[in-house]
Amino acid sequence: MPLPTFAPSSDERVIAGVCAGIAQTLAVDPTLVRLVFALLALAGGAGIILYLALWAYSRKMSVWVAAVLALVAGSLLLGALGLSDRSVLGIALIAAGLALAWRRGGSFRPDAPLSYGGVALAAVGAVVLLSGGGTSSAVLAPGAVAGALLLIAGPLVWRLALDRDAERTARIRSDERSDVAARVHDSVLQTLALIQRHANEPRRVASLARRQERELRGWLYADQPIGDESASLVAALSAAAGDVEDLHGVRVEIASAGDCPVDGPVGAVVLAAREAMTNAAKFAGVEEIDVYVEVTDEEVSVFVRDRGSGFDRSAVPADRRGLVESIEGRLERAGGRAAVVTTPGGGTEVELHVKRSAS
Amino acid sequence: MKRRVVLVDDHDLFLAGVRAELGDRVDVVGQAGTVAAAVPLIKELDPDVVLLDVHLPDGSGDAIINQVAPERPGVRFLALSVSDAAEDVIAVIRAGARGYVTKTISGEELAAAIEQVANGDAVFSPRLAGFVLDAFRAGDRVGGDAELDELTPREREVLQLIARGYMYKEIAARLHLSVKTVESHVSNVLRKLQLSTRHELARWATEHRLI
């Protein structure tokens, strides 16, 4: 901890400008400082010695001269307060010892090198003080020692605590930043790179942007981990929609009321919905597909709708098993049901329903 | 007559895009990027519709509605947002916006939505319809005003079709209603959304976010 410094004022000086300099540093009236020194001067001349000490300190003559003078000033002051010579000597020794320890160690950190001389000097001071004299010093002395210790160690301990707090905050912040950086790198930056590479394929660019938007939205607003598709029904459907968008260059709008974990039957719904989205993207000839998810206490429903060409079911070749197997059959096996509503030219809507498992 | 529209959004690129997409379908009479700039501008221009971003640098969209609406009751607001934090969207709707659409909407659809809002109708995106259905889900109502806190089966049906991506006229055809009737169902839902004290609205807004 650096000691506060001040420069004697040459403009407003009366003697050496020490009082004016202190007043400038503390931003108070110089008269006030002079008054304090005048009062201290009455206390056995302590003020005069202190003035000399501060002057020596401010002229950067020698810290030792300043320290010794300050010590003398302090001793005079204590003497003036009515302490016995012995007590004054004890306190002076403790102060000197602590000053030495402080200077050598630089701080009271546990790992800082300690000045054994300083500690020894302080110990001697304590012995002198405690073994000495009358009743008044028996009460005063331990208090003075404790006070001195507190005054010197207090700011250091306080500074130490602040430092540790600041370090911790900085560490948390940097952890957060690297977490965000990792996510942004894994997702957004990769997407931007892909977009640059596919700059002349508008559909591909649009689908990349939409997929990224969906992921980022999930992460920002719904606490969905990026890339974790098994977290919930809506997350799984969003991921499926993203794949369909990537593969077929369509837009898939998902709306939802409620959400639930993906268990067996719900997993079947996700796979069937993916198939329905893929069919719509491949055959309907539209740019946008609407998906609506509704989760109630009893049932999970998913609707996949397009406004496209529609088809005549009786005209679908028997070897095209997508609808029968991947959608209707899959839902039946899961204990649910699927319905396909379509007319040529009137668009298609696939409805998927399963009961929620008892848990 | 073309509708007079004010755009409020702090993203210049987006503003330029919307202006270009809307083309001459509407008359964009002004634009602002902050709450502080938008309030006096809207009061001065008195447009038919204000297209309002939910998030602005110096506040949210509902602050504008709250300051403008008492003096200019004829101005309608349509929220337009990429932010899907439910509490933000709901705050704007409950402050009095006539609808909510996402920024990915096409120019044509946006122009149609502006016309609907100017006529006093409500505009729900599928996403908002999903939210409202969730918030008004049957069975967990506690106290409050039953009329405001419950959706009728018909309103529920209409909202579900909106969530499934149906347009008003498709819904009308499917339910054998007139388009006007469908519109009035949606307006009723909007009114309930704005006036209901149903605590699921608050709960939903804090627990969920629109996806």
Side-chain angles (χ1 to χ4, degrees):
Chain A
M1 189 172 72
L3 288 169
T5 57
F6 70 98
S9 166
S10 49
D11 303 334
E12 298 179 57
R13 66 184 195 160
V14 175
I15 303 170
V18 170
C19 289
I22 291 172
Q24 247 169 31
T25 308
L26 299 177
V28 294
D29 194 299
T31 316
L32 189 72
V33 181
R34 288 185 186 121
L35 202 66
V36 169
F37 273 88
L39 281 173
L40 286 175
L42 293 177
I48 298 166
I49 308 292
L50 188 63
Y51 189 94
L52 286 174
L54 287 167
W55 175 72
Y57 174 64
S58 71
R59 301 304 295 266
K60 315 228 166 10
M61 286 168 67
S62 158
V63 179
W64 286 111
V65 175
V68 169
L69 285 171
L71 215 55
V72 174
S75 305
L76 287 171
L77 196 63
L78 290 171
L81 285 174
L83 268 76
S84 69
D85 291 350
R86 215 182 156 81
S87 306
V88 171
L89 179 66
I91 291 171
L93 282 173
I94 289 171
L98 286 174
L100 210 64
W102 184 15
R103 256 190 65 78
R104 278 290 168 76
S107 78
F108 280 80
R109 282 167 192 271
D111 55 344
L114 209 62
S115 161
Y116 293 106
V119 172
L121 203 58
V124 170
V127 170
V128 170
L129 188 67
L130 293 175
S131 65
T135 40
S136 70
S137 65
V139 181
L140 244 173
V145 175
L149 271 173
L150 205 69
L151 278 177
I152 294 169
L156 288 166
V157 172
W158 177 245
R159 171 75 60 96
L160 206 65
L162 280 183
D163 281 356
R164 189 165 298 169
D165 229 33
E167 271 168 32
R168 211 167 133 255
T169 313
R171 199 171 55 240
I172 290 171
R173 201 167 292 158
S174 102
D175 282 356
E176 268 172 6
R177 190 176 302 139
S178 50
D179 188 36
V180 170
R183 282 166 190 277
V184 168
H185 177 265
D186 288 350
S187 55
V188 180
L189 292 183
Q190 303 285 1
T191 300
L192 288 175
L194 276 174
I195 283 177
Q196 287 173 45
R197 196 176 302 158
H198 296 277
N200 42 16
E201 300 167 50
R203 281 188 158 224
R204 177 111 175 100
V205 168
S207 90
L208 283 169
R210 283 185 57 76
R211 187 187 181 80
Q212 187 56 65
E213 180 199 333
R214 179 171 292 140
E215 264 192 22
L216 210 52
R217 196 191 287 290
W219 185 52
L220 289 173
Y221 299 126
D223 291 331
Q224 288 168 6
I226 285 183
D228 184 0
E229 301 170 0
S230 58
S232 76
L233 171 59
V234 174
L237 283 171
S238 298
D243 290 344
V244 173
E245 287 183 341
D246 283 355
L247 285 169
H248 304 286
V250 292
R251 287 201 301 152
V252 183
E253 288 287 348
I254 296 188
S256 65
D259 200 355
C260 68
V262 180
D263 57 10
V266 176
V269 169
V270 173
L271 291 173
R274 186 196 189 97
E275 183 68 22
M277 287 184 243
T278 304
N279 283 344
K282 276 160 83 174
F283 304 119
V286 291
E287 294 195 347
E288 188 171 318
I289 300 166
D290 285 294
V291 176
Y292 173 56
V293 192
E294 191 174 80
V295 180
T296 64
D297 293 339
E298 300 85 34
E299 198 181 49
V300 171
S301 308
V302 176
F303 302 84
V304 179
R305 179 167 189 273
D306 68 72
R307 287 198 189 82
S309 52
F311 59 95
D312 180 357
R313 280 206 76 165
S314 60
V316 174
D319 62 331
R320 297 295 299 272
R321 308 290 293 164
L323 192 57
V324 175
E325 267 309 306
S326 300
I327 298 178
E328 292 171 330
R330 180 173 268 145
L331 262 287
E332 259 169 50
R333 285 192 295 278
R337 66 201 152 84
V340 180
V341 181
T342 180
T343 50
T348 305
E349 184 166 30
V350 177
E351 296 183 19
L352 311 164
H353 306 272
V354 288
K355 293 262 176 283
R356 289 188 69 182
S357 43
S359 65
Chain B
M1 197 187 80
K2 271 192 276 186
R3 298 296 181 179
R4 297 174 68 250
V5 175
V6 167
L7 308 178
V8 181
D9 196 301
D10 58 315
H11 300 99
D12 290 338
L13 210 60
F14 181 75
L15 279 177
V18 168
R19 286 189 98 126
E21 286 228 310
L22 283 174
D24 52 7
R25 293 189 188 95
V26 300
D27 188 7
V28 178
V29 291
Q31 64 183 52
T34 59
V35 173
V39 170
L41 183 78
I42 297 167
K43 284 179 182 169
E44 186 202 323
L45 294 173
D46 198 12
D48 297 312
V49 176
V50 175
L51 273 184
L52 196 60
D53 191 7
V54 172
H55 279 295
L56 294 163
D58 58 342
S60 56
D62 51 316
I64 295 179
I65 302 180
N66 289 332
Q67 289 176 61
V68 170
E71 283 180 52
R72 293 275 181 271
V75 178
R76 317 268 192 200
F77 294 88
L78 176 60
L80 181 69
S81 175
V82 288
S83 154
D84 290 316
E87 54 266 45
D88 302 333
V89 177
I90 289 317
V92 175
I93 296 281
R94 280 173 76 95
R98 301 291 300 170
Y100 162 69
V101 292
T102 41
K103 278 186 175 177
T104 49
I105 192 172
S106 74
E108 197 181 334
E109 287 171 314
L110 184 58
I114 289 171
E115 186 60 32
Q116 277 177 304
V117 168
N119 286 329
D121 292 322
V123 174
F124 278 23
S125 66
R127 206 173 272 172
L128 179 60
F131 154 61
V132 177
L133 280 170
D134 194 27
F136 281 92
R137 197 185 297 178
D140 48 359
R141 193 182 72 81
V142 184
D145 184 335
E147 198 275 323
L148 287 176
D149 288 352
E150 292 282 15
L151 299 180
T152 66
R154 193 54 121 184
E155 287 163 356
R156 199 171 286 279
E157 211 170 4
V158 168
L159 274 192
Q160 205 195 35
L161 288 169
I162 292 175
R164 281 157 68 173
Y166 286 73
M167 293 185 297
Y168 288 4
K169 68 172 190 290
E170 294 169 324
I171 296 170
R174 196 179 158 113
L175 299 181
H176 309 293
L177 302 170
S178 71
V179 173
K180 263 274 153 263
T181 310
V182 172
E183 283 169 352
S184 83
H185 282 308
V186 180
S187 291
N188 273 337
V189 173
L190 183 79
R191 188 174 58 88
K192 289 180 179 181
L193 193 60
Q194 286 168 349
L195 298 178
S196 171
T197 53
R198 193 184 166 90
H199 71 284
E200 273 73 19
L201 283 172
R203 175 191 62 81
W204 204 95
T206 49
E207 280 181 13
H208 294 60
R209 314 246 178 164
L210 282 182
I211 292 152

